[in-house]
Each structure stands twice: as C-alpha cells, then as structure tokens.
Amino acid sequence: MNLPNKLTTARVVLIPLFLLALYGGYWLAALVIFALASITDALDGHIARSRGLVTDFGKFMDPLADKLLVTAALLAFVEFLDVPAWVVFLIIARELAITGLRTLAAGKGVVMAADKWGKVKTASQMVWICYGLVMGFCFYNLPLGSRANWEMYLIFQAGMVVVLCTTLFSGGNYLWKNRQLFSQMK
C-alpha cells in the first residue's frame, strides 16, 4: 500500500476515534483528531498526483473517507450543537448527488475533477466544523449564558449559512457544468 493510500486509510481509522473523543466530552481531542484527519485529506491527493501514485483504491476511498468524516461531524453537531437536521440533510444530499454524477461520468469515460467551488465547499466545511468543535469546548467550559458563548454561537450560525450556501452552489455548479451527461442518459 502506497503512502497516499495509507493516509486515506488513517483518515478512516480516525473517524471512530474522533467520535469517541466527542461523545466522551473531549472536545479539544476531537478537534485535534478532526484537524489531523483533514490534513491527511489535503496530503494524500497532493502526494498521489505529484508522485504518480494515483490508484483505484485511492480514487474510491479518498472521497468516501472525506464524506464519512464530514458526515460523522455533522451528525454529532445535530445532537450536540443544535444544527438543524435539514441543513445536514441538504449537505449530505449534495454529496450523494455529486457522487452519483461522478459515477455516471466515469461510466461514460469522463473524469470530473474537483473544481474551485468544490474546494471552497470543502474548506468552508472543514473550517466550520473545527470552529464548532472549539465552540463546543467553550460551551462546556465557560459559564452558561456568558457573552462569549452567545457571540461564538452567532458566528457558528453565520458559518453554517456560509457552508450551506457554498455546498449548494458548488453542487449546482457541478450539475450545470455536466448537464450534457443527463441528455445522454437512456
């Protein structure tokens, strides 16, 4: 197994550790684990492309690992940080739709590379999730009702709107740019 695939596998292994830390109330440990997993996401693709180590395993597992990591965090946020379930549903629905579109494209010999909006979406999600983990730590360690908690929560909510908008926009952008695939469907 090459280095990029090891990094992808490590990201998958970190997901249950992330959840254990989060559900155990160790918000800072969860943040460190999530950040480490996010860094492996940036590294594995870069190393694979720059060193010619792209594999079928990596093509399959890298996006799956990303989606599992983000989904784990988002579902925990529904429970711990009162993120509305409909927001998480829309984010997951976008991911499933684009995964389906990529599968359709691959079946027609078309490679759908990540574009700048997909990267903006991913970055906004990772930053927002990290912020949410910091906020969760503060909520459980600052006096209830403190001004800092309220301000952090407002920033968190604004970040959620940014994430939702970039997620939906990037999904719509992928669908629009690849609309010819739908006309070729039988």
Side-chain angles (χ1 to χ4, degrees):
M1 184 177 284
N2 66 29
L3 178 59
N5 290 345
K6 287 178 183 176
L7 290 170
T8 298
T9 303
R11 187 161 61 258
V12 173
V13 170
L14 287 172
I15 295 168
L17 297 176
F18 163 72
L19 289 171
L20 282 171
L22 194 56
Y23 278 84
Y26 301 102
W27 287 82
L28 288 182
L31 171 63
V32 169
I33 293 167
F34 185 86
L36 182 61
S38 297
I39 290 167
T40 69
D41 178 32
L43 286 176
D44 63 5
H46 173 73
I47 293 169
R49 285 185 300 277
S50 68
R51 297 183 185 174
L53 298 173
V54 176
T55 64
D56 289 339
F57 176 85
K59 288 178 191 176
F60 171 73
M61 281 305 296
D62 180 58
L64 179 60
D66 299 344
K67 285 159 188 46
L68 290 173
L69 177 65
V70 169
T71 299
L74 293 176
L75 291 174
F77 280 10
V78 170
E79 186 171 349
F80 290 117
L81 299 179
D82 295 325
V83 171
W86 65 268
V87 169
V88 173
F89 171 79
L90 289 174
I91 293 169
I92 293 171
R94 180 265 186 214
E95 298 302 334
L96 292 173
I98 300 310
T99 298
L101 182 63
R102 281 199 164 104
T103 302
L104 177 65
K108 297 186 179 298
V110 176
V111 175
M112 278 182 48
D115 69 4
K116 70 177 179 179
W117 289 109
K119 292 177 182 185
V120 167
K121 180 268 309 177
T122 299
S124 70
Q125 287 178 350
M126 298 302 184
V127 168
W128 180 64
I129 290 169
C130 287
Y131 182 83
L133 294 168
V134 169
M135 184 186 76
F137 171 77
C138 291
F139 272 20
Y140 291 99
N141 291 287
L142 289 176
L144 198 59
S146 75
R147 181 175 172 89
N149 278 346
W150 178 246
E151 289 169 353
M152 288 185 82
Y153 185 72
L154 290 177
I155 293 168
F156 180 73
Q157 292 297 307
M160 181 180 70
V161 170
V162 169
V163 165
L164 186 58
C165 290
T166 59
T167 298
L168 296 177
F169 181 80
S170 71
N173 184 51
Y174 275 118
L175 292 171
W176 177 255
K177 283 175 33 179
N178 295 284
R179 64 191 177 279
Q180 75 282 359
L181 292 170
F182 297 108
S183 64
Q184 299 169 3
M185 290 174 63
K186 293 181 183 180

